[in-house]
């Protein structure tokens, strides 16, 4: 009996000692987010709906900007230092089709990295409000 | 044979890959098709526009559905076309077999046919991307082609137009991390059993507002599990009309096909009690 109590106490300690993991950690931390963004860029490069929009864009800058942004919205502790989503995308009249294409490419990137459904949903939930700031701005 | 098969498969896959970049809304956002031809669930429409066209694209669907309960057998088939995620135009043709009712009434004719022509306009919002729900306004014109039994039951018209407002939203991660779909509809109608038993009646001939709702949870992008409720009027003294319920599972393997199976409970239909059974529907999107 006493061993059981001891074991239970140990288990409870173990629980309280584990910090509730952030979305950033669920995405696989720095390495995971890097890989997702890499796959996303590969998908964008293959997608005729959006590829023309990235002609002449500094892809390395885009990559680090996006990694930073995802890190900041997923509680990874990074501070995104770029311009707001509205300012970055303003003046381009990005379409609803293009927005869906980017989201689709992100989902495929996360699928490819075996990100679980609920983790995917959680990131998409944090990016969905950007629609207002990106489409037809 | 195997070569033909693999070539056909390749052609299908290529066609699908091509089609996927022409119709950009995300998987399942075109929903399935109600027995009345509107994009939505099995019996309750949603605010979404049929097909997968985004705001700069077009798309469409074709469907066939069957509802089988002890004394009735309904087959509905049709299609819908969606324009720029703004406007939906739909057509459905329904054939209801009612052998038990015919025997009871001593008539030989066992079929009622009805056609439904619908339009739906998206007024505001996006089911995924806005904080508020997507809201649409729809109109269905219905024409009952076999009015003999409906008129004997006390129905006053063989055709009518009804209106509905639908509000739908997917809450990303809204149900313990899974995506949650909530949908509510207010319908202004006087259709008896959705019009299969005509429109208006001896007890009431005015249109009234009725409530409908559906809810579902996406287990992942491909599987949606949920339930629907549809309130019904009571226009005929010949028989009381019960509200409808379904519990469904829908499968979206890709943007080309969707399959829905459901348990349906229609309650008492035209004096025949306990009409619960199954529903099966296949939808193709293009
Ligand atoms: C959820 C949707 C989106 C998010 C979260 C997002 C996020 C970002 C971020 C973080 C940057 C980097 C900004 C920087 O630090 O320099 C960026 C740049 C960019 N985005 Fe988006 N974006 C989205 C949708 C789109 C869409 C739909 C398009 C159009 C196809 C698009 C095209 C671009 C382009 C071309 C750049 C590079 C701008 C430049 O450096 O000149 N984005 N985006």
């Amino acid at each position: 009996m006493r061993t059981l109590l001891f074991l239970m106490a140990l288990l409870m300690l173990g629980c309280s000692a584990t910090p509730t993991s952030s979305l950033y950690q669920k995405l696989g931390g720095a390495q995971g987010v890097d890989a997702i963004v890499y796959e996303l860029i590969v998908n964008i490069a293959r997608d005729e709906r959006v590829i023309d929009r990235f002609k002449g864009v500094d892809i390395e800058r885009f990559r680090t900007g996006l990694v930073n942004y995802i890190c900041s919205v997923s509680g990874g502790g990074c501070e995104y230092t770029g311009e707001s989503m509205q300012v970055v995308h303003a003046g381009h009249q990005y379409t609803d089709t293009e927005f869906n294409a980017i989201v689709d490419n992100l989902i495929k990137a996360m699928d490819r990295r075996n990100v679980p459904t609920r983790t995917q949903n959680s990131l998409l939930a944090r990016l969905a409000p950007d629609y207002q700031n990106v489409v037809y701005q | 044979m195997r070569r033909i098969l693999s070539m056909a498969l390749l052609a299908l896959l290529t066609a699908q890959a091509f089609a996927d970049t022409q119709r950009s809304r995300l998987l399942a956002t075109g929903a399935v098709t109600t027995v009345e031809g509107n994009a939505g669930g099995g019996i309750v429409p949603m605010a979404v526009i049929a097909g997968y066209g985004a705001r700069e694209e077009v798309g469409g669907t074709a469907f066939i559905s069957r509802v089988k309960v002890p004394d009735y057998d309904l087959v509905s088939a049709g299609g819908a076309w969606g324009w720029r995620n703004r406007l939906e135009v739909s057509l459905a043709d329904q054939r209801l077999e009612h052998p038990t009712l015919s025997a009871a009434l001593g008539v030989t004719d066992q079929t009622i046919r009805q056609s439904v022509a619908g339009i739906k306009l998206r007024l505001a919002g996006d089911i995924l991307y806005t904080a508020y729900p997507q809201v649409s306004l729809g109109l269905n014109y219905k024409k009952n082609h076999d009015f003999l039994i409906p008129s004997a039951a006390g129905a006053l018209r063989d055709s009518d137009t009804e209106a509905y407002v639908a509000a739908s939203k997917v809450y990303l991660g809204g149900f313990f991390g899974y995506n949650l779909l909530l949908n509510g509809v207010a319908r202004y109608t006087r259709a008896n059993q959705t019009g299969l038993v005509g429109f208006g009646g001896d007890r009431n001939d005015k249109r009234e507002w009725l409530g409908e709702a559906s809810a579902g949870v996406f287990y992942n992008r491909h599987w949606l599990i949920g339930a629907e409720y549809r309130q019904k009027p009571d226009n005929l003294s010949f028989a009381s009309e019960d509200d409808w319920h379904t519990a469904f599972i829908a499968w979206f393997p890709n943007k080309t096909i969707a399959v829905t199976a459901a348990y349906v409970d229609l309650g008492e239909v035209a004096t025949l009690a306990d009409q619960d059974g199954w529903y099966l529907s296949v939808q193709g999107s293009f």
Side-chain angles (χ1 to χ4, degrees):
Chain A
M1 185 64 200
R2 204 176 281 165
T3 8
L4 200 74
L5 274 173
F6 177 72
L7 268 174
M8 274 172 71
L10 203 71
L11 268 172
M12 277 160 73
L13 252 174
C15 283
S16 57
T18 329
T20 49
S21 70
S22 67
L23 173 59
Y24 185 67
Q25 281 168 309
K26 288 182 186 149
L27 290 166
Q31 222 179 356
V33 171
D34 264 356
I36 291 165
V37 169
Y38 171 80
E39 298 287 352
L40 170 60
I41 291 172
V42 169
N43 292 343
I44 287 174
R46 286 194 195 128
D47 189 340
E48 70 205 40
R49 291 171 296 184
V50 290
I51 184 58
D52 287 348
R53 294 293 206 167
F54 290 86
K55 282 209 173 114
V57 165
D58 179 345
I59 291 300
E60 193 44 39
R61 213 192 94 161
F62 172 69
R63 198 186 65 79
T64 44
L66 202 54
V67 164
N68 240 311
Y69 184 67
I70 292 177
C71 173
S72 73
V73 301
S74 63
C78 315
E79 203 183 327
Y80 170 70
T81 51
E83 305 275 14
S84 73
M85 284 302 101
Q86 190 151 23
V87 172
V88 170
H89 299 94
H92 293 281
Q93 299 291 318
Y94 291 125
T95 65
D96 182 53
T97 299
E98 289 170 328
F99 190 91
N100 277 292
I102 297 286
V103 174
D104 197 27
N105 288 323
L106 173 61
I107 292 171
K108 284 184 177 134
M110 291 193 288
D111 272 352
R112 187 117 196 202
R113 301 303 307 171
N114 295 317
V115 176
T117 300
R118 288 191 286 178
T119 308
Q120 292 195 18
N121 296 344
S122 181
L123 180 60
L124 294 175
R126 291 179 203 202
L127 298 180
D130 288 333
Y131 182 87
Q132 315 284 58
N133 301 321
V134 171
V135 174
Y136 290 120
Q137 293 299 306
Chain B
M1 182 64 201
R2 197 178 281 170
R3 213 168 112 209
I4 296 173
L5 251 171
S6 61
M7 271 171 67
L9 200 70
L10 191 74
L12 202 77
L13 285 173
T14 331
Q16 195 205 314
F18 175 76
D20 274 10
T21 59
Q22 303 300 308
R23 304 168 306 135
S24 300
R25 270 156 56 207
L26 299 184
L27 188 63
T29 55
V32 293
T33 311
T34 67
V35 287
E36 296 171 298
N38 316 124
I43 57 167
V44 177
M46 293 181 200
V48 298
I49 300 297
Y52 285 108
R55 277 161 63 190
E56 301 78 20
E57 300 173 321
V58 295
T61 53
F63 80 99
I64 182 157
S65 303
R66 183 161 178 203
V67 181
K68 182 96 180 67
V69 292
D71 298 305
Y72 299 96
D73 190 345
L74 177 76
V75 174
S76 179
W81 184 71
W83 181 76
R84 290 174 161 255
N85 200 21
R86 175 63 67 191
L87 186 72
E88 171 185 303
V89 181
S90 62
L91 272 177
D93 196 75
Q94 306 177 320
R95 250 164 232 279
L96 177 74
E97 301 280 336
H98 49 77
T100 316
L101 188 65
S102 290
L105 298 174
V107 297
T108 47
D109 197 354
Q110 303 198 344
T111 326
I112 292 177
R113 218 189 111 217
Q114 178 173 242
S115 302
V116 184
I119 57 166
K120 188 198 289 175
L121 183 70
R122 182 175 64 83
L123 300 178
D126 182 283
I127 187 152
L128 290 175
Y129 302 134
T130 52
Y132 53 93
Q134 179 164 331
V135 179
S136 294
L137 172 69
L139 291 177
N140 284 332
Y141 169 77
K142 300 177 171 180
K143 167 80 184 157
N144 189 310
H145 301 287
D146 298 283
F147 195 54
L148 181 70
I149 289 177
S151 68
L156 299 182
R157 297 148 209 279
D158 68 352
S159 70
D160 202 20
T161 303
E162 63 183 15
Y164 63 90
V165 178
S168 319
K169 172 131 188 75
V170 167
Y171 295 88
L172 293 163
F175 185 81
F176 300 102
Y178 295 102
N179 293 341
L180 172 69
L181 166 71
L182 293 181
N183 174 58
V185 174
R187 188 190 299 261
Y188 191 57
T189 186
R190 60 183 155 203
N192 311 314
Q193 301 293 357
T194 78
L196 289 162
V197 190
F199 307 87
D202 53 339
R203 258 174 68 177
N204 170 44
D205 190 39
K206 288 209 191 73
R207 292 189 184 93
E208 60 190 312
W209 286 102
L210 299 173
E212 302 170 16
S214 41
V217 172
F218 283 93
Y219 174 68
N220 58 32
R221 280 193 295 143
H222 302 288
W223 292 94
L224 174 66
I225 298 156
E228 298 172 290
Y229 165 79
R230 179 161 169 173
Q231 193 183 12
K232 308 287 292 308
D234 242 323
N235 300 332
L236 305 170
S237 49
F238 152 78
S240 69
E241 189 167 337
D242 284 340
D243 297 345
W244 285 2
H245 305 263
T246 73
F248 67 84
I249 179 160
W251 180 45
F252 300 87
N254 53 48
K255 285 194 198 173
T256 306
I257 194 160
V259 182
T260 313
Y263 164 78
V264 300
D265 185 355
L266 311 182
E268 179 183 319
V269 179
T271 70
L272 303 173
D274 301 326
Q275 300 301 318
D276 63 321
W278 54 265
Y279 161 94
L280 192 67
S281 177
V282 180
Q283 173 186 268
S285 299
F286 52 87

